[in-house]
Amino acid sequence: MRVIKRCYSVYKNTFGDMDNLIAVCQVSSTNDKAKNFQACKTLITNAQKCGAKMVFLPESVDYIEEDRQKSFDMAESLDGPLISDYRALAKSLGVWVSLGGFHEKFSDTKLYNTHVVIDDRGEIASKYHKIHLYDVELPSRNINAKESSLIEAGSEIVTPVHTAIGNVGLAICYDMRFPQMAMALAEKGADILTYPSAFFFGTGAIHWEVLLRSRAIETQCYVIASAQTGSHSSSRKSWGHSLVVDPLGTVIAQCSDEPGFVLAPIDLTLVNSIRATMPLVNHRRYGIYPKMSSTPWPYLPIQDSSEYKFGASTVKGFQVFCQTPLSMAFTNIKCVLPGHVLVAPLRSMEKLSDLNEDEVKDLFLLVQKVEKTVETLHNTKSASIVIQDGEDAGQTIKHVHVHIIPRKQGDYLDNDDIYRELQNERKSTIPKRSDDEMAQEALVLRKHF
């Protein structure tokens, strides 16, 4: 992996043909909006020439003005001239741009601190209003800030935006001190977390890197943090050191303390590999503590060589066509009808009542998705969904599981015969399917997840 470890004002050479290359920019914004835009335009243009698919800019990318009233007067709306200029630039270069922090007009007295993502067609793909505001006094470090005096706090963690480099979760600066938000973004499907910043110099040396590396390790996401650097006025100085952290917590690219940009590749296969080999999501105890988000985790990578406990039996990885944090869906060794598949919790529990609330929710959300999928594949609008919950109900494998069986008119003379067929599954003359048959069916089904 080739990674440039420091910033340059202008790049003359590219990384070559490398997928998912990003550029993380570092600037020294002032109260001159036109000058700030020209500096960022140069960085974006040069980064795009180097092959960057997405360029990240820091918080307060539009301006930094210490006087509250002047700062308020300088703010614009999202359809104002500055965002229009950035949209035109992104479109002309065919590159995604993250404007890490823009002063957006909100009311007669307040602004939003808004993270804007512009796609390669020049359209606004997503926006996020900073929810954690920096109201901190640290006299020993010459810090006296009250962001809430000008900024209205946002009220929503935004669903990660699907970009050319992966699913990007949006945050801003002070948000990095709140791991709950990072976890919520990961639960919503983020591969990458962004923390564009104007991080105060006084705390940069002790907190900047360790916070960002921690957010990467606990979420198993890439972390991208573009930053302001240097002196903006006689009383305001930023730490700089923009960086990229991989999902293992390793800093793979970092700027120093000068304006410029750094290139780094984003490897989503690394994200999937780390989550598969150290499956933190499977080990979280959501029956003891809550999820940070009500949105289910995305589907997780499946290794054909893996094995899953299924009562006293084993489900092979090649049978599994979908895995969520708490459940799995897999092909069946004995099918009473074509398309008969199973969904089960990952935790081996005998009865449905043994599962916790999160497991039940995850299980039946997956059942719903699997039902729709097998009905589509088998050209039907009906399915039998069956749980044999306990031995007297016909359960032969002591592990909660849901049978999903696509149905067609006339497949049984008496519809209830299907339940008798399931009741006598072990004594059934239905032949067992081969590993190859189950693996091939799983491959077809995986494409729908």
Side-chain angles (χ1 to χ4, degrees):
M1 183 185 294
R2 296 173 61 205
V3 178
I4 302 228
K5 296 286 187 178
R6 62 192 180 90
C7 281
Y8 294 86
S9 297
V10 178
Y11 277 85
K12 294 184 179 179
N13 300 314
T14 71
F15 273 31
D17 294 330
M18 182 177 287
D19 292 334
N20 287 4
L21 192 66
I22 65 165
V24 183
C25 297
Q26 189 160 278
V27 302
S28 294
S29 292
T30 66
N31 58 5
D32 188 332
K33 291 171 65 174
K35 184 178 178 180
N36 296 337
F37 174 74
Q38 288 303 318
C40 291
K41 180 180 179 180
T42 298
L43 291 174
I44 295 169
T45 302
N46 288 334
Q48 186 271 341
K49 289 178 181 177
C50 292
K53 290 186 175 180
M54 189 164 184
V55 181
F56 293 82
L57 295 165
E59 183 182 25
S60 300
V61 66
D62 48 354
Y63 61 85
I64 291 179
E65 169 56 63
E66 295 296 287
D67 183 271
R68 183 189 182 283
Q69 186 58 49
K70 289 180 180 178
S71 183
F72 182 85
D73 293 341
M74 293 169 69
E76 298 182 15
S77 63
L78 287 177
D79 57 1
L82 185 60
I83 295 298
S84 297
D85 286 344
Y86 274 112
R87 291 178 61 183
L89 179 62
K91 182 178 180 179
S92 68
L93 296 174
V95 65
W96 285 71
V97 177
S98 161
L99 302 178
F102 164 78
H103 295 82
E104 180 189 359
K105 284 192 173 179
F106 166 67
S107 70
D108 291 340
T109 58
K110 291 285 187 78
L111 308 175
Y112 275 136
N113 187 344
T114 305
H115 187 161
V116 182
V117 175
I118 301 171
D119 68 19
D120 54 1
R121 300 167 301 170
E123 300 297 327
I124 294 177
S126 187
K127 66 177 182 178
Y128 158 72
H129 299 137
K130 187 177 182 181
I131 62 175
H132 298 105
L133 302 185
Y134 192 69
D135 290 357
V136 177
E137 289 187 35
L138 292 172
S140 63
R141 296 188 177 275
N142 196 31
I143 294 174
N144 184 5
K146 192 172 180 61
E147 189 173 13
S148 63
S149 67
L150 179 63
I151 302 299
E152 179 75 14
S155 58
E156 179 185 7
I157 298 175
V158 175
T159 299
V161 57
H162 185 68
T163 74
I165 63 163
N167 295 329
V168 178
L170 306 184
I172 300 175
C173 198
Y174 192 49
D175 290 332
M176 74 177 71
R177 294 183 181 271
F178 301 88
Q180 300 92 333
M181 181 177 180
M183 196 62 65
L185 285 167
E187 289 175 357
K188 287 175 175 287
D191 306 307
I192 301 153
L193 303 178
T194 55
Y195 293 100
S197 300
F199 209 88
F200 275 89
F201 193 88
T203 52
I206 56 175
H207 289 162
W208 172 252
E209 185 174 314
V210 69
L211 283 168
L212 294 168
R213 294 179 68 186
S214 296
R215 299 297 80 82
I217 292 168
E218 69 202 6
T219 61
Q220 298 176 313
C221 289
Y222 277 92
V223 167
I224 299 170
S226 55
Q228 293 283 345
T229 189
S231 297
H232 310 285
S233 66
S234 59
S235 60
R236 178 73 182 273
K237 186 177 182 181
S238 294
W239 174 245
H241 297 85
S242 301
L243 53 75
V244 181
V245 187
D246 75 12
L248 285 170
T250 304
V251 177
I252 62 170
Q254 186 168 18
C255 295
S256 59
D257 55 0
E258 297 178 356
F261 68 87
V262 63
L263 296 173
I266 299 297
D267 182 4
L268 296 182
T269 62
L270 178 63
V271 176
N272 293 335
S273 174
I274 289 169
R275 290 177 177 178
T277 55
M278 188 180 291
L280 299 182
V281 65
N282 294 344
H283 300 155
R284 293 196 170 99
R285 303 291 302 278
Y286 289 129
I288 298 173
Y289 48 79
K291 283 186 177 183
M292 293 299 107
S293 169
S294 60
T295 303
W297 276 76
Y299 304 127
L300 302 179
I302 301 164
Q303 301 292 326
D304 282 352
S305 58
S306 298
E307 293 187 347
Y308 300 80
K309 186 177 181 183
F310 185 46
S313 303
T314 299
V315 172
K316 303 292 182 61
F318 59 75
Q319 292 176 252
V320 178
F321 57 86
C322 182
Q323 181 183 339
T324 65
L326 302 175
S327 309
M328 59 179 171
F330 52 99
T331 54
N332 196 3
I333 196 167
K334 276 190 173 185
C335 297
V336 301
L337 286 172
H340 177 184
V341 296
L342 303 174
V343 178
L346 291 171
R347 191 163 65 107
S348 185
M349 302 303 292
E350 185 174 347
K351 295 291 296 298
L352 183 64
S353 57
D354 295 331
L355 302 179
N356 63 48
E357 183 179 342
D358 286 310
E359 287 172 319
V360 172
K361 180 188 294 186
D362 192 272
L363 179 71
F364 283 99
L365 284 172
L366 183 55
V367 166
Q368 184 183 56
K369 172 63 176 175
V370 172
E371 180 194 10
K372 291 178 182 178
T373 301
V374 296
E375 284 182 356
T376 299
L377 287 174
H378 291 271
N379 194 29
T380 181
K381 295 182 180 179
S382 301
S384 290
I385 298 175
V386 182
I387 299 178
Q388 296 160 295
D389 203 32
E391 184 177 356
D392 294 337
Q395 184 187 57
T396 55
I397 296 176
K398 294 185 177 182
H399 185 138
V400 180
H401 57 284
V402 182
H403 297 264
I404 303 176
I405 310 167
R407 300 294 305 277
K408 293 183 178 180
Q409 186 175 9
D411 51 22
Y412 281 95
L413 292 176
D414 182 343
N415 256 324
D416 287 347
D417 284 345
I418 195 166
Y419 304 115
R420 287 182 275 272
E421 189 81 56
L422 289 171
Q423 181 83 11
N424 299 313
E425 191 175 8
R426 281 193 170 175
K427 299 177 182 178
S428 173
T429 58
I430 298 171
K432 290 184 177 181
R433 299 200 298 165
S434 69
D435 287 352
D436 283 344
E437 286 179 286
M438 291 188 289
Q440 288 303 313
E441 184 183 15
L443 284 175
V444 172
L445 286 161
R446 284 180 188 179
K447 295 177 182 178
H448 295 267
F449 295 87

